[in-house]
DNA sequence: GGATCTCTTGATACCTAGTCTCATGGTTCC
DNA sequence: GGAACCATGAGACTAGGTATCAAGAGATCC
């Protein structure tokens, strides 16, 4: 995953600097979704001396490359999820924050139907699913 | 629509005060989605003397009652949409901001399939569709 | 209709997430 | 090894939203 990110940055034509490598490693160690503040705290604890702006800049780069996606949690806060750079949707555990990707499983039919009924030409969509992951389901 | 909002506030057991009535009327005059700042500007132009906090407080109340929903536009900004208090999804015009509601048209099957594949128990979902409305499509 | 109690208000301070600026420092490439 | 340029951290700034609080407006009861 770290390799994947560094490759993507390389392909994007930006430099593989120290801060970027360190942050990529921190993202890899994270499980589930995280906020920019989480990452900054991680970096702070390890005395990495990485600035706020650098964190946001890397997240922006990664999200342009599709390796990270920003989602809107049900409580209105934003979080980032590491993911594959193909079109897909996220399933987020409301309990532990774990995420998995779901590829297109029928959403095309839904958008086509919505387009037909409304007369809109649909160009983008966003689908986010929230629930309980298998671990949290069996835990209680 | 204004009536609907005032009724809902009444049912929610809160007072139908002057500022709330005025804001409800302003929301009614809006077309498509709007931000809290838009509403505040509207009120300012009419010298209504309504505070920022009051605007956010009303939007929160209305959203608890399901008469307004907060969505995340593709550019990452937030906007509010007046809508019916039933479960549904939004179709947003990327050009003019017009919105329409789409009721469930097959999304259940998608969530069931995602649940089956992932082992998650899906409790909530959010689907937002973006595109061009009929007017904007014919305009260019 | 007035007194009273409570809810709501606007002002203001504050907060979080994110962006912009800029001088300094690290990379790349020749 | 040096020049050019990209990336960095610090800190100011912005937007969107929340918390606090004294004062004002609604509802209620008589």
């Amino acid at each position: 995953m770290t390799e994947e990110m560094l490759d993507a940055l390389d392909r994007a034509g930006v430099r593989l600097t120290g801060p970027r490598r360190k942050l990529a490693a921190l993202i890899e160690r994270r499980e589930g979704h995280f906020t920019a503040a989480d990452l900054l705290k991680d970096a702070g604890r390890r005395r990495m001396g990485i600035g706020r702006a650098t964190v946001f800049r890397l997240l922006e780069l990664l999200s342009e490359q599709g390796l990270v996606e920003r989602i809107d949690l049900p409580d209105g806060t934003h979080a980032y999820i590491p993911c594959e750079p193909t079109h897909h949707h996220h399933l987020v555990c409301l309990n532990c924050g774990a995420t998995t990707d779901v590829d297109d499983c029928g959403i095309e039919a839904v958008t086509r139907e919505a387009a037909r009924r409304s007369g809109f030409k649909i160009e983008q969509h966003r689908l986010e699913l929230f629930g309980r992951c298998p671990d949290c389901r069996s835990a209680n």
Side-chain angles (χ1 to χ4, degrees), chain A:
Chain A
M1 187 70 210
T2 305
E3 275 315 307
E4 225 170 325
M5 285 189 200
L6 299 179
D7 284 357
L9 293 177
D10 200 25
R11 273 196 306 277
V14 301
R15 294 183 181 164
L16 296 180
T17 63
R20 284 179 182 159
R21 288 172 196 276
K22 289 182 204 159
L23 283 175
L26 287 181
I27 291 175
E28 195 189 11
R29 302 173 65 105
R30 284 251 147 219
E31 307 195 348
H33 56 71
F34 58 89
T35 63
D38 289 335
L39 220 51
L40 202 55
K41 228 182 296 168
D42 286 357
R45 257 197 301 273
R46 284 155 218 242
R47 305 274 139 78
M48 286 178 172
I50 289 177
R52 254 164 73 72
T54 303
V55 171
F56 283 104
R57 283 189 281 237
L58 180 67
L59 288 172
E60 194 189 347
L61 271 172
L62 291 176
S63 108
E64 276 165 15
Q65 302 302 311
L67 287 171
V68 135
E69 204 167 300
R70 195 168 82 163
I71 61 159
D72 217 35
L73 299 177
D75 68 3
T77 59
H78 281 156
Y80 297 85
I81 301 184
C83 57
E84 300 299 313
T86 52
H87 180 75
H88 63 272
H89 302 105
H90 297 286
L91 233 162
V92 181
C93 178
L94 291 170
N95 192 234
C96 70
T99 60
T100 38
D101 294 359
V102 218
D103 48 19
D104 262 347
C105 36
I107 186 83
E108 285 308 322
V110 175
T111 64
R112 255 199 316 277
E113 176 63 12
R116 194 184 64 73
R117 291 196 205 171
S118 64
F120 273 60
K121 174 163 181 282
I122 295 179
E123 296 173 356
Q124 292 179 51
H125 63 261
R126 173 185 299 152
L127 173 66
E128 279 152 21
L129 303 170
F130 304 97
R132 307 271 150 189
C133 71
D135 288 354
C136 290
R137 288 178 71 183
S138 54
N140 60 11

